[in-house]
Amino acid sequence: MWTATQGYGAPVVLCHGGPGIYDYLGPVAAMIDDLTTVHRYDQRGCGRSDDVGPYDVPTLVDDLDALRAYWGYAAWTIVGHSWGATLALLYAIHYPERTARLVYMSGTGIDPAWHQEYRRNREAKLAPAERERLRLLNEELLTASGEELERIQTEKSSLLGRTELYDVRRVGDVPRYDRFPINYLLNEALCAEMRLMEDAGHLNSQVAQVRAPTLVVDGEGDPRPRLGRAQIAELIPSSRHTTIAGAGHEPWIEQPEATARVLRDFLVDPVS
């Protein structure tokens, strides 16, 4: 796996979103690397890491713990963004004694109802012509393959990218994922597996068993419904939920000072 390390102090690992893209959390690492030793990595099959299966949730959770063992930590703080927030949460469930703290940033929650509301919220941010183009792309996806499939997926991702922001004029600041191929097969496999886990309804009781001090943080303009993240905060006994005003799915882009303050306050004093 590709990894990067910076800073000094107690260990923190940053889990990027996707699934299927690669690390973009360098700006977040820079916000806390004077307080902590920050590790970043490209998940299995993503970016600069080897494309080796299997593609399943338990394997990615175990990969994360293998990195902990490789770096020699008894426990560490797990910070996850978007899909990475789900990965971080599952790590805290399966490896509670190795989770010192948990940061659940801009996640989706565990109630399957989030999918429909997320789609509605994104479409509401599009102009009528953009909504029509999205409809056509979704139709084309049903029969496309090969290079045509990749072209459609790329256009759809670009079209929806602006909906992730509070201020759509900042779309040029959103990370672009054109340096390495996006692993759509991994994305499809993991999203399908997570949907089954959500539908099964067992995650609520598992999340309620998490004892690590937890920060749930998001931006007010994130199209993923806030109720899902609020539920996570309610289920975990030692948790706090902070919503950053004027920010979208990647709050450090639009509100870097507020994001840094929230993260640093939690790392210094996770229980206040």
Side-chain angles (χ1 to χ4, degrees):
M1 289 185 188
W2 174 88
T3 66
T5 300
Q6 63 194 81
Y8 301 92
V12 172
V13 62
L14 306 185
C15 303
H16 66 75
I21 53 177
Y22 43 88
D23 174 69
Y24 49 82
L25 295 171
V28 178
M31 292 176 172
I32 58 174
D33 64 1
D34 62 326
L35 298 175
T36 63
T37 300
V38 189
H39 299 284
R40 296 179 287 128
Y41 73 109
D42 285 348
Q43 294 159 21
R44 173 186 297 260
C46 299
R48 293 146 288 194
S49 292
D50 288 345
D51 188 4
V52 178
Y55 296 158
D56 58 54
V57 171
T59 296
L60 267 71
V61 172
D62 288 343
D63 283 347
L64 188 51
D65 197 57
L67 288 171
R68 176 204 57 80
Y70 174 78
W71 281 309
Y73 302 125
W76 55 353
T77 294
I78 316 297
V79 178
H81 174 255
S82 196
W83 144 254
T86 299
L87 179 60
L89 178 64
L90 294 172
Y91 183 91
I93 290 170
H94 291 285
Y95 293 104
E97 73 283 2
R98 298 169 188 170
T99 306
R101 299 180 181 91
L102 169 65
V103 177
Y104 186 90
M105 181 184 293
S106 304
T108 61
I110 55 176
D111 185 333
W114 76 266
H115 294 274
Q116 289 187 347
E117 186 173 350
Y118 177 42
R119 285 193 290 269
R120 288 195 297 267
N121 291 343
R122 287 192 301 179
E123 290 180 10
K125 290 188 173 185
L126 295 174
E130 292 172 324
R131 286 196 292 271
E132 175 62 16
R133 183 57 183 161
L134 178 63
R135 186 188 66 79
L136 292 173
L137 290 172
N138 285 331
E139 287 184 358
E140 293 174 8
L141 279 173
L142 298 176
T143 56
S145 61
E147 292 184 359
E148 180 65 8
L149 176 61
E150 291 187 11
R151 181 196 66 77
I152 295 169
Q153 289 170 326
T154 299
E155 183 180 350
K156 181 178 177 181
S157 296
S158 177
L159 179 62
L160 291 174
R162 64 195 300 258
T163 70
E164 303 293 327
L165 293 157
Y166 180 84
D167 181 354
V168 297
R169 294 172 298 179
R170 299 292 300 273
V171 67
D173 298 328
V174 175
R176 294 176 58 87
Y177 302 106
D178 51 8
R179 185 178 177 188
F180 305 102
I182 295 174
N183 192 330
Y184 289 107
L185 291 177
L186 183 148
N187 178 280
E188 183 178 352
L190 293 184
C191 288
E193 186 177 358
M194 281 307 307
R195 186 62 183 262
L196 291 175
M197 294 171 66
E198 292 168 355
D199 290 341
H202 302 312
L203 288 173
N204 285 43
S205 59
Q206 294 176 339
V207 172
Q209 297 302 310
V210 172
R211 293 296 180 265
T214 299
L215 170 66
V216 178
V217 60
D218 50 22
E220 68 166 318
D222 193 332
R224 292 152 191 79
R226 185 179 185 275
L227 285 176
R229 294 181 292 277
Q231 181 189 27
I232 298 296
E234 291 173 1
L235 287 169
I236 297 176
S238 180
S239 65
R240 64 175 97 160
H241 185 184
T242 300
T243 297
I244 298 174
H249 184 56
E250 293 145 329
W252 64 88
I253 292 178
E254 295 178 283
Q255 299 295 336
E257 293 182 1
T259 303
R261 182 169 58 254
V262 168
L263 292 174
R264 292 172 67 86
D265 287 349
F266 175 72
L267 292 171
V268 171
D269 185 5
V271 296
S272 66

